[in-house]
Amino acid sequence: MNVQQPYRIKTIKEYHKILGIGHPEHPMISVIDLAEITPYRSEESIRVVFDFYMISLKKVDAGDVQYGYGQQKYDFDEGILFFISPNQVFSFKADDDFRSSGTMLLIHPDFLWGNPLANGIKKYEFFNYSVNEALFVSEKEEMVLKSFIRNIEQEYHSHIDKFSESIIISLIESFLNYSNRFYMRQFLTRKISGSQIVDKLEKILDDYFEDENIINKGLPTVQYIASLLNCSPNYLSGMLKALTGQNTQQHIHGKIIEKAKEKLSTTTLTVGEIAFALGFDYPQSFSKLFKSKTDFTPVEFRASFN
């Protein structure tokens, strides 16, 4: 089956033209009122790649909309906030009744060039979440975020001077930090679904390490676990970190150590045999991980039981 190549949009000016709105006042940053855009209607999924950051704070007033990798439907009665980074494939489909209101903030990476945020923006993992892992914001949170967007817009609308760029970047960074806070709040207030994912994660890892074919499969990866839980890797790690204090990789390592201790204390398998039975390619890698997590070598740990 042929997969349609995503359409690449390189500049903010080009995106303005596609949306049928006026030229941006600044070539590297723009705030768009979604009410100015004619609703797009399509029965087919559209795939797009942007060369700039897109932050959307919006509400869907009518109709169904499907976002992201899973093409899942969501009821957006609350305000939602989602982030798209450069080169991320964004797919969407809207029906004839689809209308939305809100604001879109576009930031070209070149605008951040020479500022610590150019690299620092990569620490905000929500830019790598699937769009269907959007942040649902309360009315109060929405007001906070809107105030930053409003100030950004006012700043680039006003007379540009030597302070403008640093002020706008400072506002962007504050917006991202508040978004991070609100995401952590969402992870904690949705503990029921989060706890269910933790339980599923434990079962997936138990089943994985009990599989007799693990020698051929190798160690489980974060990407593999996330795919089974229908999450993006970054979203899963962020949620687990908020709920348990450990990211996905740390949960995988914890399960490896648990299984290793069990085999070291209850079997006569050699360290090498245990390493291969847990999916390691080299016993040295297993011993190094075990030592880093327990302060004992596998041999020392086994000796403590004899």
Side-chain angles (χ1 to χ4, degrees):
M1 181 177 67
N2 292 328
V3 178
Q4 178 194 6
Q5 289 296 315
Y7 181 77
R8 180 173 290 276
I9 301 175
K10 297 181 179 180
T11 66
I12 292 175
K13 181 179 179 180
E14 179 186 358
Y15 192 47
H16 271 241
K17 184 177 180 180
I18 291 171
L19 296 177
I21 58 179
H23 291 326
E25 291 194 32
H26 194 293
M28 298 295 176
I29 188 165
S30 179
V31 174
I32 297 174
D33 182 353
L34 296 177
E36 298 178 1
I37 302 172
T38 302
Y40 181 83
R41 297 176 175 87
S42 173
E43 293 297 327
E44 297 182 358
S45 181
I46 306 299
R47 303 174 74 239
V48 183
V49 173
F50 299 97
D51 282 358
F52 44 85
Y53 294 97
M54 175 189 289
I55 302 171
S56 291
L57 177 60
K58 62 194 299 184
K59 287 186 178 180
V60 173
D61 301 321
D64 292 325
V65 63
Q66 298 178 348
Y67 285 116
Y69 302 103
Q71 293 299 303
Q72 300 181 49
K73 289 187 177 182
Y74 289 84
D75 177 10
F76 290 131
D77 290 336
E78 302 175 75
I80 61 165
L81 180 68
F82 63 85
F83 302 80
I84 299 174
S85 61
N87 299 314
Q88 181 179 353
V89 178
F90 170 54
S91 62
F92 69 95
K93 181 172 71 174
D95 68 12
D96 289 341
D97 296 324
F98 170 67
R99 284 181 294 277
S100 65
S101 62
T103 308
M104 189 184 298
L105 173 62
L106 311 177
I107 309 163
H108 197 283
D110 289 352
F111 184 76
L112 306 176
W113 187 83
N115 186 279
L117 189 58
N119 287 321
I121 198 169
K122 298 174 184 176
K123 75 179 181 181
Y124 299 99
E125 295 186 342
F126 42 70
F127 276 109
N128 292 311
Y129 293 171
S130 300
V131 181
N132 58 16
E133 295 163 341
L135 171 63
F136 291 74
V137 293
S138 67
E139 186 175 350
K140 184 177 179 180
E141 291 169 345
E142 188 175 352
M143 289 176 61
V144 171
L145 296 172
K146 280 182 175 179
S147 69
F148 285 113
I149 294 177
R150 204 161 40 240
N151 289 336
I152 290 170
E153 186 176 23
Q154 289 174 353
E155 186 62 33
Y156 76 72
H157 277 319
S158 64
H159 178 68
I160 301 295
D161 56 31
K162 65 179 182 179
F163 301 105
S164 300
E165 184 176 309
S166 60
I167 290 173
I168 292 173
I169 290 177
S170 177
L171 289 168
I172 292 171
E173 188 164 19
S174 294
F175 181 97
L176 296 176
N177 284 332
Y178 271 94
S179 299
N180 223 1
R181 167 186 278 181
F182 297 155
Y183 250 116
M184 292 304 106
R185 182 273 309 157
Q186 178 165 291
F187 290 144
L188 294 174
T189 55
R190 299 191 174 201
K191 273 189 174 181
I192 294 177
S193 59
S195 297
Q196 290 173 342
I197 286 184
V198 173
D199 291 341
K200 290 179 181 178
L201 171 66
E202 288 296 312
K203 186 176 188 313
I204 287 171
L205 290 175
D206 280 331
D207 291 345
Y208 192 96
F209 287 107
E210 294 299 325
D211 190 342
E212 295 180 356
N213 196 38
I214 191 173
I215 294 177
N216 297 320
K217 291 167 59 178
L219 292 170
T221 65
V222 173
Q223 290 77 10
Y224 172 79
I225 299 297
S227 68
L228 293 180
L229 292 170
N230 298 314
C231 300
S232 66
N234 287 73
Y235 185 86
L236 177 60
S237 285
M239 179 173 57
L240 290 173
K241 186 77 173 177
L243 293 172
T244 69
Q246 294 185 319
N247 61 29
T248 313
Q249 189 64 66
Q250 289 171 318
H251 274 272
I252 293 172
H253 285 168
K255 185 60 66 174
I256 290 172
I257 299 304
E258 175 188 318
K259 297 296 183 181
K261 286 181 175 180
E262 180 183 317
K263 292 180 184 298
L264 286 166
S265 60
T266 62
T267 75
T268 58
L269 294 172
T270 67
V271 172
E273 288 171 334
I274 292 173
F276 293 134
L278 292 174
F280 285 86
D281 292 328
Y282 305 101
Q284 298 92 326
S285 299
F286 164 65
S287 296
K288 182 177 180 181
L289 176 66
F290 193 90
K291 173 75 172 178
S292 70
K293 298 297 182 181
T294 67
D295 291 330
F296 294 97
T297 67
V299 172
E300 290 170 343
F301 181 83
R302 171 170 275 171
S304 67
F305 284 89
N306 298 328

